[in-house]
Structures are given as C-alpha cells and as structure tokens.
C-alpha cells in the first residue's frame, strides 16, 4: 500500500506544520507517568529543528512514556491494522531500553509530522503503507529506547550517588553492584528531568535479546482472544449517535432530493442530514439508523455518473492491449528486432478484475466537537495528516485544533489510506450537519463497504515472448492497461511521463536477464474509484509475469525452476529464495499421485519471496494443499510475525484468485455482502511453511510481499493438474472458458 | 421489553422486537467483544452462545429470545475456553483480531463436542467464521494444540 517514492508529493499537509504537540503532551500528562525520548534523529533532517524549539527541561517526547508503575507505553507513528507494526516497533524500543516485555503497551500517535513523518516517504508526511513500518522505525525507535535507557541510568546514578557506567539494566530493573536496585517506575519521574543524550550507542546485534527472537510473543494477542481489544467500532462516547450513509448508487451520481419523513417517524431515528458524500441517517444506535435508512427515498442526479459495466470496460481494455502503449515504463535493447528474429514467439492475455479490500471491520469513524472548540476524530488514521487537514477544512477550524485518536482496526489492506478521507470526512460532515450537538459514529455496513468503491483497479496485460533456437528468452514485452491509482489525486506528481509507478511496479523491474524488453502502459479513464490493495501493482504484474514465464518455459521445453535460475545471478536474492523454496518443497523429487506443483518468485517493497504451491484436482477445479515459501526481507525483527504475515499474505492472495471479483452492471456494483463477494474460508486454506533467509541487511517490508507469488505459483501448478492456463481471474473464469 | 440473561446477569432490554441481538449487546448493553462483520450470518464475527449453542447474533432477533441465556466472549468460562484462549496467545493466532472473538466461540464449541477434531472436522466447524487476515493456518494449529493440552 502506498509506493515508497513519496518525496515529490505535494499535499495539503504542508499546512499542518504547527505541531499538535500540545495535545499530545496534554494527553500524556493526563496519565500517571512521564514521557521520555530522543529528539535528534540523524535519519530525519526534519527533526533537527525540533531540538531548538524544545527546552531541555521538558523531557516529554513523541516516542515513549514510562509510568510510575514502570509500564512502558510506546507511541507508534505506524498504524496497526493487524500486520504487527505495533509489535515490531515495541520490540525495537524494548530491546534498547532493556524493558520488561510483559509491561509493554503501544498506542497510535499522530499530529507531529517532524516526529512521526515516514522516513521512507521522505519524512514529509506520516503514513502507513508500502510495507515501510519497520524500515522507517528501525533507527528511530531503537534510538528512542536507548535514549530513555540512558536517562533512567542518569537518574539512578544521581539518586544512588554512583557512577552511571556501573549501573546495569535488565528486564525493566536498574541495579548497581552495591546491591541497590529499582524498577523503571521508581526513576521515571526523575529521568524526565535528565538531559536527552545527544548521541546514543545502539546495541551490537550479538547483544540482542528481542530483535530476531523467534520465541517472542506478540504483546497484544491475549486481548484479542478475550474480546477486550478496542477497535474504532467500539468507541463509545457520552451521548454518541450512530449514522449510516446512503451513498450514490453510481460512482459520480449526486443526490437531487430526498424524503426522510417516513424515516423520522421510526423510533430511535434522530435526524436525516445531507452531506457532500451522501445522505446520513442518524440514530440513537446502529439498528435505528439502519431501519431509518430503509425508509428514506432519494432522487439521484446521474448525469456524469459512470455507467459502463464490466463487460464494456474489459472489452475496451482488451482492444487497447493490442494497440501501441500510450507510455513506456521500460525499454531495453530492441524488442521488435528480437521478436522478428526469434525462433518462436508466444503471446497471452491476462485479465484481472476490480477487487474490494473487504476488511472484516467495515469502515467507520467517530467525530466530536469538544467544549474548547477542538474537533476530535477516532478512526483508522492510516494517513493522519491528510485527514487532519481535510477535517480542519470541513469544520472550519485551524489544523492544530483537529485531534486524531488513532484506533486499531479490523484489517485495512490499504483501504484506510485514502486521499479523500472518505469515512473520516463523512463523520465530520455529519457531526457538522448536526450542529455538533452530539458525537457521531459513522458506521458502514458490509454492503456499503463493498459498494462504495476504492478497489484494486481492473487490468489487462498482453504479454509476448521470443525464444531463440537454444530455448533462451531473447525478447519480452508486457503491455498493461488499466486505471491509475495516483493520477488526479494529491499524488498526481508521482505520475511521470504517463507512467503511474503503482501500475507497473513488479513488471518493469523483472530480475531476469532478458536483453530486449519493453513494459508499456495505457492508462484508462474510468470513474470507478481505485486504491492500493495489499501489494498494489504486484497483485497483477507478478501474476502476469510469473504465469507467462511458465508458458515460455513450457514452450522452450525447460523446467520452470531451472529456466528462472538460468536468467538470475546465482548469488542474487531471487535465486537464493527460489533455491531455498525448491529445496524445502523437494522440487527435484516426484510428487505423489494426484499432486502437482508450480513455482513463482516476486519482489515487492524491498523483499523477495518465492513460493512453491502444491495442488490436487478437486472436481472441475483444484485444491491448494501446501505452500512452501522462502523469504528475504532483510533482518527479521520478529521472525514469527514475518511468518504470520507470509501465511496471511498467502491466504489473502489465494482468496483473490480463487473467489474475489467486483463486477459492475451499467455502472452499478453487483456484489454486496459475503454471499456475493467471497473471501477465502478455512476449508480452502493450504498448509503453509515459511522459511526465512538469514540476513543482516536492514529490515524491508513484510506486510505485503507474501501476496504476489501465490497466484502465479498456483496457476502454474493448476496447468500441470488440469492442462489449462489460468489467465482470467478469478480462476473459475479460466476453467469454465 | 425483553428479559435475557447475558453472561449470567439479567438484562431488561428496552428495544423493538426486531432488533438483532448483536446491536442490543453492543449498543444497549455495552459489551463490545461481539463484532459486526456482515449482518447476514456470513462471517461469524458476531457469534455468541444462546442456551449453550453457537448462534449468529446478527440474525437473532431480540424479540425471539425472551428468557434465553446468552454467553458472549466476555462471559466465556471453563477449561476448554480458557485453554483455547491461552493457546491463541501462545501461538499468536490473531492478526487484526477482529474475527477472533467469533473464532474462539466456534473453536471452544467444537472442542467441547469433539475433543480430538481432525483437520476436516475443523474445516467443517470453522468455515462459517471468516478471517480476512487469513489466520486459518494458525487457527487449525491452535485447535489441535488446545486438544492436546486438554487431553493431557
Ligand atoms: S455479523 Fe453476524 S455473521 Fe457476520
Ligand atoms: S485476525 Fe483479522 S480478520 Fe481474523
């Protein structure tokens, strides 16, 4: 979600300069503890100015607090949607702090770009995406932990009248050879008054106890097993009302008029108000709002709305894929000449539908105006600065008067990182339309969540390959047709020479030595709202490339694994993960009767993942029995969470190719609930094995990279099982074709 | 007005008879462990026990359960449930966790009725519980591990 090259973006965010430190500090001061941290971070020049504006006597800082009870609370710049970013960041802090892991908690933080700006995005905005949470936090949060540790030591040294170098810290306890000892809580208050060290020395890898520890458990699993974890849907405020939206039935339609008289007569319905994003039915509780909604009639103005359906769009895309691309993302050698002289040329077209994120918690947000005039918003703030700015405009208050409470959410997969703030904006609009007389939660239903847009765009890929007499791949072209995610948004500046990098990532950086290749792009103009969906461009580019490569290997009469390895440097990351996955899956050994396998490899967000999928025939289709994955994600901070993300990524990717599709009929979305939009269930989940390549490189992404290889690996295995190439998603469409 | 016992406590619920139990539990009683995912018995996030049987609370009308005993994840007790919950934490089964109240309710019921479930038993008993994070691999492992601990 969200590409990594964000340096050039221009956002309304620049106006959010005035830090909301006051709010943050206020919130922290309300607790029992103190806040300590590290204010000068070499990795982020934006932070250099921070030290000047801050007097050394106030030791509060943006990254962690320690309570009088010794409890360490980490303030995370990265949003938690299930991917374990909080746990990873807590690991970094606790490692350098020598904290007691059982006392760690993490809360989401926002409103201080200097402190929380995503370094991988250039530091100019806070945001979670592109699987960057560990890379942006790697130095920042270890230094925060180390600085706090030094301050605690300084406080204890002063208290005990001993030399700081004689103090040891372990498991949340400071001790001195004289026998003196005390927990973090004892020294927390005094430590807050200690100067923040200008330099801290980080531990050597050999001294790590938590980083890289495969036995370390997530700090937040127990609360998820007993129902106490709090999500946005669980926010409850005094007097809070609940609203459901009536969105336009077509993308681009607008409400002309509405009749809410019947709705207002329903018990529990409080009001029906209009917002720029649709009509909101406000109730005392969710059920009243839902019932009220059924009673509202709306007349829509559909001029200018998108009225094309999936059949029309896909046939246009297919036609375009046969024409010359509008732009090129890669041109190596002379592909045209190489195709002409090739001994054999093969071609194939791949089709990918729109996909919904379908996080299990339907989108929601809560907004309230406080007595002091501030606007407070609870939600899954994946792009907090953007939402803060949008809310400030709507509510007509300065940005620093918008407070964000970053809640955990039941999934996101990219869906809560939106340019227009959709549900967050709705909550503020509805609260405003009610004259801010009560806090309002806007809660989408499943149908709203499925139908309100922001899909993985639909794409068509036309691929062509030329092989020489010796079976060597000498020419390759990939023409991608589909919508741009970033064009005409605040991210428009990312589109260079007609190429949205999110449309071509994974296609224009193939690792294989192919002398002559082109990657073309034709961006279509369709008013269906689109968005990044876990692993973004690689959701389709990796499928097209790796499934087609299998067809090429077949045409060349070569083993798919050997064929790939022959085009890779033997010591490359791609070759390494391919060989590891193949070895663990026993690629060279014949499979039992009725089992078939396929392989694929893909790089995304700095990590490389290979997967070998093993399938059996099941009726007209296939059943995926087992997947062996090998991963190079740099240093694995939480190896077991790396495994979890790859397991989940495999399930998520498999879900899409086996059973997910958003289709439109005359512009209207056909699917609504999980009876029509059908994510993977447990009975279709294969056994998964994940092997991690030992690496000392800085951590790269892991939330997304598990997704791309599964589709092609399974498609390649399915060909062996069924003799049919899978080129149209979801799978059943290829099998029935 | 409907009287139900929720987690052993009697509640007099002031609501229209057609209100789904899910919203009564969440919005009127104020217990939020039971989750809303679909509202049409498709995802299992809202699973509670009614008189001991796992039920989708989003499709259960409050007017139909006068006098019933409802158990939500907050009221889950006993050796099987506690073992399942402990295993869930030990194996780090949850990712976002949003589906997990429902998963735990279903898994506990499965193990209470079938102390040694096979993979096929698990798939059959748990396929009504969607997990969009696809923690299925660990859910299966978790149920096997809980069965093992309960046998010991
Ligand atoms: S919310 Fe009841 S089954 Fe999904
Ligand atoms: S853990 Fe996220 S939906 Fe199951």
């Amino acid at each position: 979600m969200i590409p990594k090259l964000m340096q050039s973006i221009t956002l309304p965010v620049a106006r959010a300069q005035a830090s909301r430190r006051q709010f943050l500090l206020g919130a922290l001061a309300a607790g029992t503890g103190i806040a300590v941290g590290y204010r000068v971070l070499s990795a982020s020049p934006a932070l250099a100015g921070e030290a000047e504006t801050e007097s050394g006597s106030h030791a509060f800082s943006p990254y962690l607090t320690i309570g009088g009870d010794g409890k360490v609370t980490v303030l995370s710049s990265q949003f938690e949607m299930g991917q374990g970013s909080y746990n990873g960041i807590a690991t970094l802090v606790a490692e350098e702090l020598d904290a007691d892991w059982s006392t760690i908690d993490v809360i989401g933080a926002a409103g201080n770009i200097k402190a929380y700006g995503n370094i991988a995005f250039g530091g100019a905005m806070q945001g979670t995406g592109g699987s960057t949470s560990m890379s942006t936090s790697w130095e920042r949060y270890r230094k925060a932990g180390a600085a706090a540790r030094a301050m605690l030591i300084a406080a204890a040294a002063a208290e005990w009248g001993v030399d700081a170098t004689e103090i040891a810290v372990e498991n949340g306890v400071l001790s001195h050879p004289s026998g003196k000892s005390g927990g973090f809580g004892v020294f927390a208050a005094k430590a807050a008054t200690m100067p923040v060290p200008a330099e801290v020395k980080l531990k050597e890898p050999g001294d790590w106890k938590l980083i890289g520890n495969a036995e370390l458990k997530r700090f937040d699993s127990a609360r998820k097993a007993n129902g106490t974890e709090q999500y946005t849907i669980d926010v409850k405020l005094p007097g809070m009302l609940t609203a459901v939206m009536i969105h336009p039935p077509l993308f681009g339609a607008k409400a002309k008029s509405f009749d809410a008289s019947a709705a207002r007569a329903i018990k529990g319905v409080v009001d029906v108000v209009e917002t720029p994003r649709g009509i909101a039915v406000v109730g005392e509780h969710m059920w009243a709002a839902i019932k009220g909604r059924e009673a509202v009639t709306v007349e829509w103005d559909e001029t200018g709305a998108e009225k094309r359906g999936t059949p029309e769009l896909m046939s246009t895309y297919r036609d375009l894929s046969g024409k010359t691309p509008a732009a090129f993302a890669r041109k190596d050698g002379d592909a045209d000449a190489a195709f002409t002289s090739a001994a054999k040329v093969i071609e194939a077209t791949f089709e990918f539908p729109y996909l919904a994120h379908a996080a299990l918690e339907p989108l929601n947000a809560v907004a309230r105006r406080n007595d002091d005039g501030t606007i407070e918003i609870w939600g899954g703030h994946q792009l907090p600065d953007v939402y803060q700015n949008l809310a400030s405009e709507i509510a007509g208050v300065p940005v620093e008067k918008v407070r964000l409470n970053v809640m955990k959410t039941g999934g996101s997969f990219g869906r809560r990182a939106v340019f227009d703030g959709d549900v967050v904006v709705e909550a503020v609009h509805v609260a405003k339309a009610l004259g801010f007389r009560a806090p309002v939660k806007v809660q989408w239903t499943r149908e709203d969540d499925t139908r309100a847009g922001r899909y993985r765009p639909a794409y068509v890929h036309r691929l062509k390959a030329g092989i020489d007499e010796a079976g060597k791949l000498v020419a390759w072209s990939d023409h991608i047709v589909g919508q741009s995610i970033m064009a005409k948004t605040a991210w428009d500046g990312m589109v260079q020479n007609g190429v949205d990098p999110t449309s071509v990532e994974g296609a224009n950086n193939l690792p294989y030595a192919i002398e002559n290749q082109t990657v073309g792009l034709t961006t279509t103009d369709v008013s269906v709202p689109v968005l990044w969906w876990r692993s973004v461009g690689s959701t389709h580019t990796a499928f097209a490339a790796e499934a087609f490569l299998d067809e090429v290997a077949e045409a060349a009469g070569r083993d798919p694994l050997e064929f790939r390895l022959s085009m890779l440097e033997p010591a490359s990351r791609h070759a390494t993960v391919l060989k590891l996955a193949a070895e663990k899956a026993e690629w060279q050994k014949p499979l039992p009767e009725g089992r078939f396998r396929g392989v694929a490899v893909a790089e995304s967000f700095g990590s490389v993942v290979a997967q070998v999928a093993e399938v059996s025939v099941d009726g007209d289709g296939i059943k995926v029995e087992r997947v062996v994955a090998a991963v190079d994600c740099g240093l694995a901070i939480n190896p077991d969470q790396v495994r979890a993300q790859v397991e989940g990524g495999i399930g998520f990717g498999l879900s899409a190719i086996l059973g997910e599709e958003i289709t439109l009929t005359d512009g209207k979305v056909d699917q609504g609930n999980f009876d029509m939009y059908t994510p993977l269930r447990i009975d279709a989940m294969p056994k998964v094995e994940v092997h991690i390549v030992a690496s000392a490189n800085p951590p790269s992404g892991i939330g997304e990279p598990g997704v791309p290889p599964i589709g092609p690996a399974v498609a390649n295995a399915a060909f062996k099982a069924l003799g049919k190439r899978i080129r149209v998603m979801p799978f059943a469409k290829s099998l029935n074709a | 007005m409907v009287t139900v016992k929720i987690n052993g406590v009697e509640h007099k619920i002031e609501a229209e008879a057609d209100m789904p139990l899910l919203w009564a539990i969440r919005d009127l009683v104020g217990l939020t462990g039971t989750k809303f995912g679909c509202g049409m018995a498709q995802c299992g996030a809202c699973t509670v026990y009614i008189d001991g049987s796992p039920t989708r609370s989003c499709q259960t009308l409050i007017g139909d359960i006068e006098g019933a005993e409802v158990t939500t994840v907050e009221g889950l007790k006993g050796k099987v449930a506690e073992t399942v919950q402990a295993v869930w934490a030990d194996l780090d089964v949850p990712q976002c966790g949003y589906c997990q109240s429902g998963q735990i309710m279903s898994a506990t019921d499965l193990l209470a009725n079938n102390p040694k479930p096979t993979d096929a038993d698990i798939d059959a008993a748990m396929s009504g519980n969607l997990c969009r994070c696809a923690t299925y691999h660990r859910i299966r492992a978790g149920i096997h591990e809980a069965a093992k601990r309960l046998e010991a």
Side-chain angles (χ1 to χ4, degrees), chain A residues 217-218 221 224-225 231 233-234 236 286 291 357 446 640 644 647 660 673 680-682 685 688, chain B residues 18-20 26-27 32 35 37-38 40 42 85 90 92 95-97 119 127 132 136-138 140:
Chain A
K217 299 294 166 213
R218 271 179 86 137
S221 283
K224 289 172 177 172
Y231 303 86
I233 197 173
D234 303 324
K236 185 123 193 157
M286 184 69 174
K291 277 183 79 178
H357 300 73
R446 175 54 50 198
D640 193 50
E647 291 160 11
E660 292 180 37
N673 214 308
L680 192 85
R681 290 178 185 270
I682 195 169
M685 183 73 188
V688 179
Chain B
D18 66 351
M19 182 186 237
R26 290 188 55 87
D27 289 356
T32 56
K35 297 297 191 236
C38 70
M40 68 179 284
Q42 293 287 325
Q85 287 171 321
D90 288 349
D92 276 342
Q95 287 188 24
C96 79
D119 276 351
S127 63
R132 186 58 170 154
Y136 301 127
H137 183 76
R138 291 188 188 210
R140 250 188 234 138

Side-chain angles (χ1 to χ4, degrees), chain A residues 360, chain B residues 95-97 99-100 131-133 135:
Chain A
L360 201 57
Chain B
Q95 287 188 24
C96 79
C99 71
Q100 300 294 346
C131 175
R132 186 58 170 154
C133 302
T135 61

Side-chain angles (χ1 to χ4, degrees), chain A residues 360 446 673-674, chain B residues 22-23 34-47 55-59 128-130:
Chain A
L360 201 57
R446 175 54 50 198
N673 214 308
F674 290 135
Chain B
L22 168 65
W23 298 116
T34 307
K35 297 297 191 236
F36 165 60
C38 70
M40 68 179 284
Q42 293 287 325
C43 77
C46 67
T47 306
T55 307
R56 307 298 185 228
S57 63
C58 68
Q59 288 292 305
N129 289 84
L130 266 180

Side-chain angles (χ1 to χ4, degrees), chain A residues 63-185:
Chain A
Y63 303 119
L64 71 115
T65 71
I66 301 177
D69 55 1
K71 205 177 143 192
V72 177
T73 302
V74 177
L75 306 179
S76 176
S77 67
Q78 302 308 108
F79 169 61
E80 173 66 47
M81 53 191 122
Q83 85 281 37
S85 61
Y86 279 10
N87 198 72
I89 288 171
T91 306
L92 302 179
V93 172
E95 178 69 69
E96 293 294 340
L97 187 57
D98 285 309
D100 173 356
W101 182 248
S102 69
T103 70
I104 292 277
D105 200 359
V106 184
I107 58 171
N112 182 347
I113 297 172
K114 283 185 182 175
Y116 304 134
N118 189 321
I119 296 164
F121 299 170
M125 70 176 294
Q126 188 182 351
T128 302
S131 292
T132 58
S133 288
M134 289 307 104
S135 56
T136 187
S137 305
W138 177 235
E139 295 268 317
R140 175 181 282 173
Y141 279 92
R142 279 189 301 154
K143 285 182 175 174
R149 183 181 184 275
M151 292 160 80
L152 285 161
I153 289 177
E159 181 87 14
W160 293 336
V162 302
D163 196 303
T165 56
E166 293 166 0
I167 293 177
V169 187
E170 206 182 335
N171 221 19
V173 177
L174 298 109
S175 61
H176 185 261
S178 63
K180 291 187 166 75
S181 82
F184 283 0

Side-chain angles (χ1 to χ4, degrees), chain A residues 42-338:
Chain A
S42 56
S44 177
L47 285 163
E50 188 98 336
E52 295 159 23
T53 59
E54 210 156 320
S55 100
S57 61
H58 292 87
F60 283 95
S61 101
Y63 303 119
L64 71 115
T65 71
I66 301 177
D69 55 1
K71 205 177 143 192
V72 177
T73 302
V74 177
L75 306 179
S76 176
S77 67
Q78 302 308 108
F79 169 61
E80 173 66 47
M81 53 191 122
Q83 85 281 37
S85 61
Y86 279 10
N87 198 72
I89 288 171
T91 306
L92 302 179
V93 172
E95 178 69 69
E96 293 294 340
L97 187 57
D98 285 309
D100 173 356
W101 182 248
S102 69
T103 70
I104 292 277
D105 200 359
V106 184
I107 58 171
N112 182 347
I113 297 172
K114 283 185 182 175
Y116 304 134
N118 189 321
I119 296 164
F121 299 170
M125 70 176 294
Q126 188 182 351
T128 302
S131 292
T132 58
S133 288
M134 289 307 104
S135 56
T136 187
S137 305
W138 177 235
E139 295 268 317
R140 175 181 282 173
Y141 279 92
R142 279 189 301 154
K143 285 182 175 174
R149 183 181 184 275
M151 292 160 80
L152 285 161
I153 289 177
E159 181 87 14
W160 293 336
V162 302
D163 196 303
T165 56
E166 293 166 0
I167 293 177
V169 187
E170 206 182 335
N171 221 19
V173 177
L174 298 109
S175 61
H176 185 261
S178 63
K180 291 187 166 75
S181 82
F184 283 0
V186 177
F187 300 101
K190 192 177 177 80
T193 67
M194 292 293 152
V196 180
E199 288 286 332
V200 286
K201 194 173 159 349
L202 298 177
K203 285 185 184 173
E204 291 301 322
D207 296 328
W208 288 336
K209 297 191 185 92
L210 303 177
I211 296 173
N213 180 345
E215 304 303 316
L216 189 72
K217 299 294 166 213
R218 271 179 86 137
F219 76 94
D220 57 354
S221 283
R223 59 184 80 164
K224 289 172 177 172
N226 65 21
T228 54
E229 180 70 295
Q230 294 291 295
Y231 303 86
T232 307
I233 197 173
D234 303 324
V235 171
K236 185 123 193 157
L237 303 169
M240 186 182 79
L241 302 171
T242 302
V244 294
M245 299 296 299
I246 306 177
H247 291 132
L250 294 178
F251 298 114
K254 300 249 174 299
K256 216 190 272 176
S257 64
F258 66 96
D259 179 0
S261 47
R264 287 177 196 280
I266 290 170
K267 193 160 173 255
V269 173
V270 175
D271 211 338
V272 181
V273 297
E274 190 169 359
T275 80
R277 292 182 45 95
I279 313 296
V281 183
V282 188
E284 284 167 8
H285 45 67
M286 184 69 174
W287 183 240
I290 289 175
K291 277 183 79 178
R293 175 162 79 169
E294 284 162 13
V296 177
T297 51
V298 189
E299 205 190 321
W300 300 99
D301 174 2
E302 296 182 351
T303 9
E306 179 61 67
K307 296 193 188 88
R308 282 173 289 178
T310 297
E312 296 98 296
L313 289 173
M314 291 316 271
S315 107
T316 307
Y317 285 21
R318 259 175 243 127
D319 287 350
L320 286 170
S321 75
K323 305 215 161 87
T324 309
F328 282 92
R330 183 169 183 173
K331 264 186 174 176
D332 289 7
D334 186 344
D336 287 341

